[in-house]
Amino acid sequence: MIEHQNSARKFLFILTLLLGGCGGGGTSNNATPTTPITIYGWGSSSLEGIDSAMRKELRKNNLSNNFINFAHSGELTYHALVRSGIESIHLTWDQSLQAYTSSNFPSYGFTSSINGKFNGKTVVLNNEFKQNIQTYNLRDNENNLITFIEGDFQVAPVNYKTAINIIWIGKNDINNGMYNAQEVFERSKKICDSLDYANGGKCLILTHFSNTDWAKGASNWQAVQSVNQFYLNNQTGTLSTLDVANYLYGNRLWLDTGIIPTNQDKINQEQSVLPPSIAANSGHMNEIGYQAVAKLIIKQLKNTHWL
């Protein structure tokens, strides 16, 4: 009799586990919650422009993802490296300018204010031009100016190292003559190199398109081609590349968008240049172009099982 009772108890115990421990087939209180996936964006105007299209695609796919986009128009690779906290800005007070200047930060300032720390103190960094010189000012939590002190500005850290990171930056470096193709590649992938891959960090770099007014073979055109080849030829387990440029130069673009390409579209694609039907201006895509690339990115993230 005791043996039968024990067997019955075991059966009920197992049945309870199978039904989720709720006595009525409900969800178990001990069920492991789904960890939200976070996507960080690092780039300039192209990635800034795709922001709403990315969010639209994420909603459409019923993905509870959080897209945190640090892209800003006009910025270069060193802006992304400072925004990510990989590099700091060394600031020295200039008495004649009554402002800070930087010895290790090039002349192009940020396009927005940045929160961070200066010698351990919480501050906001802003840039301004004085006498045609790039200068910076620092304000504390009470909006007081900080002056005379030399030190390093470090951006407030974000938890990007265990997240998906999309990088689309570097074309402005080429346009401004800041770095050559290999240097742009090396600087762009610094964010990838800093990730914690053992705990979920992932990196996707997007190739650059050539502007509608760039002639095939021109210096900017060649530089972009070279940067893209560095991305494509150096993919590893820690760096994946999505060839957006090749997609924009191919027939699949028209199938995805439903656009009937014009003769000029075809000419531009043959020259590896952005086709005008998806261009808002010479260097930026229109809404249709951004939407097509957003769908391409989401598809890539799914194909790699990152989403």
Side-chain angles (χ1 to χ4, degrees), residues 9 55-56 82 101 167 187 197 285 289 300-301:
R9 289 193 186 99
R55 297 182 193 281
K56 180 179 178 181
V82 170
T101 59
I167 300 171
R187 294 180 64 78
Y197 291 94
M285 289 184 290
Q300 174 73 6
L301 295 179

Short mmCIF file of all heavy atoms in Angstrom, two decimals, residues 9 55-56 82 101 167 187 197 285 289 300-301:
data_model
loop_
_atom_site.label_atom_id
_atom_site.label_comp_id
_atom_site.label_asym_id
_atom_site.label_seq_id
_atom_site.Cartn_x
_atom_site.Cartn_y
_atom_site.Cartn_z
N ARG A 9 2.43 9.60 -5.57
CA ARG A 9 3.01 10.91 -5.29
C ARG A 9 4.03 11.29 -6.38
O ARG A 9 4.09 12.44 -6.82
CB ARG A 9 3.69 10.91 -3.91
CG ARG A 9 2.71 10.85 -2.74
CD ARG A 9 3.42 11.16 -1.45
NE ARG A 9 2.55 10.98 -0.31
CZ ARG A 9 2.54 9.88 0.46
NH1 ARG A 9 3.39 8.88 0.18
NH2 ARG A 9 1.73 9.79 1.47
N ARG A 55 13.47 51.20 -36.51
CA ARG A 55 12.48 51.02 -35.46
C ARG A 55 11.18 50.47 -36.04
O ARG A 55 10.50 49.64 -35.42
CB ARG A 55 12.24 52.35 -34.74
CG ARG A 55 13.49 52.86 -34.03
CD ARG A 55 13.24 54.15 -33.28
NE ARG A 55 14.50 54.75 -32.88
CZ ARG A 55 15.23 54.36 -31.84
NH1 ARG A 55 14.80 53.37 -31.08
NH2 ARG A 55 16.37 54.94 -31.54
N LYS A 56 10.82 50.91 -37.23
CA LYS A 56 9.62 50.41 -37.90
C LYS A 56 9.74 48.92 -38.18
O LYS A 56 8.79 48.15 -37.96
CB LYS A 56 9.40 51.17 -39.20
CG LYS A 56 8.16 50.74 -39.97
CD LYS A 56 8.02 51.57 -41.24
CE LYS A 56 6.81 51.12 -42.05
NZ LYS A 56 6.67 51.91 -43.30
N VAL A 82 34.98 58.12 -29.11
CA VAL A 82 34.81 58.86 -27.85
C VAL A 82 33.42 58.59 -27.27
O VAL A 82 33.27 58.38 -26.06
CB VAL A 82 35.03 60.37 -28.08
CG1 VAL A 82 34.61 61.17 -26.84
CG2 VAL A 82 36.49 60.65 -28.40
N THR A 101 41.10 73.54 -25.43
CA THR A 101 41.49 72.98 -26.72
C THR A 101 42.00 71.57 -26.48
O THR A 101 42.29 71.20 -25.34
CB THR A 101 42.58 73.81 -27.41
OG1 THR A 101 43.74 73.87 -26.55
CG2 THR A 101 42.09 75.22 -27.71
N ILE A 167 27.73 49.26 -37.06
CA ILE A 167 28.69 50.34 -37.31
C ILE A 167 28.62 50.75 -38.78
O ILE A 167 28.80 49.92 -39.67
CB ILE A 167 30.12 49.89 -36.94
CG1 ILE A 167 30.18 49.51 -35.46
CG2 ILE A 167 31.12 50.99 -37.25
CD1 ILE A 167 31.46 48.86 -35.04
N ARG A 187 40.15 51.96 -37.41
CA ARG A 187 39.44 52.76 -36.41
C ARG A 187 38.00 52.30 -36.27
O ARG A 187 37.46 52.25 -35.17
CB ARG A 187 39.52 54.24 -36.79
CG ARG A 187 40.93 54.81 -36.73
CD ARG A 187 40.96 56.28 -37.10
NE ARG A 187 40.21 57.08 -36.15
CZ ARG A 187 40.66 57.44 -34.94
NH1 ARG A 187 41.86 57.04 -34.53
NH2 ARG A 187 39.93 58.17 -34.14
N TYR A 197 32.49 39.20 -26.36
CA TYR A 197 31.81 38.19 -27.19
C TYR A 197 31.36 36.98 -26.38
O TYR A 197 30.39 36.32 -26.74
CB TYR A 197 32.73 37.76 -28.34
CG TYR A 197 32.92 38.86 -29.35
CD1 TYR A 197 34.01 39.72 -29.26
CD2 TYR A 197 32.00 39.07 -30.37
CE1 TYR A 197 34.19 40.75 -30.18
CE2 TYR A 197 32.16 40.09 -31.28
CZ TYR A 197 33.25 40.93 -31.18
OH TYR A 197 33.42 41.96 -32.08
N MET A 285 20.36 58.73 -48.67
CA MET A 285 19.22 58.02 -49.23
C MET A 285 17.92 58.69 -48.84
O MET A 285 17.85 59.44 -47.86
CB MET A 285 19.22 56.56 -48.75
CG MET A 285 20.32 55.72 -49.36
SD MET A 285 20.21 53.98 -48.87
CE MET A 285 20.69 54.09 -47.14
N GLY A 289 14.90 54.21 -49.70
CA GLY A 289 16.22 53.60 -49.60
C GLY A 289 16.54 53.14 -48.19
O GLY A 289 17.03 52.03 -47.97
N GLN A 300 19.62 40.15 -42.12
CA GLN A 300 20.96 39.65 -41.81
C GLN A 300 21.06 39.23 -40.35
O GLN A 300 21.63 38.18 -40.03
CB GLN A 300 21.99 40.76 -42.11
CG GLN A 300 23.43 40.43 -41.70
CD GLN A 300 24.08 39.40 -42.59
OE1 GLN A 300 23.51 39.01 -43.62
NE2 GLN A 300 25.29 38.98 -42.24
N LEU A 301 20.50 40.01 -39.45
CA LEU A 301 20.55 39.69 -38.02
C LEU A 301 19.80 38.39 -37.73
O LEU A 301 20.20 37.61 -36.86
CB LEU A 301 19.96 40.84 -37.20
CG LEU A 301 20.72 42.17 -37.24
CD1 LEU A 301 20.01 43.20 -36.39
CD2 LEU A 301 22.17 42.01 -36.80
#
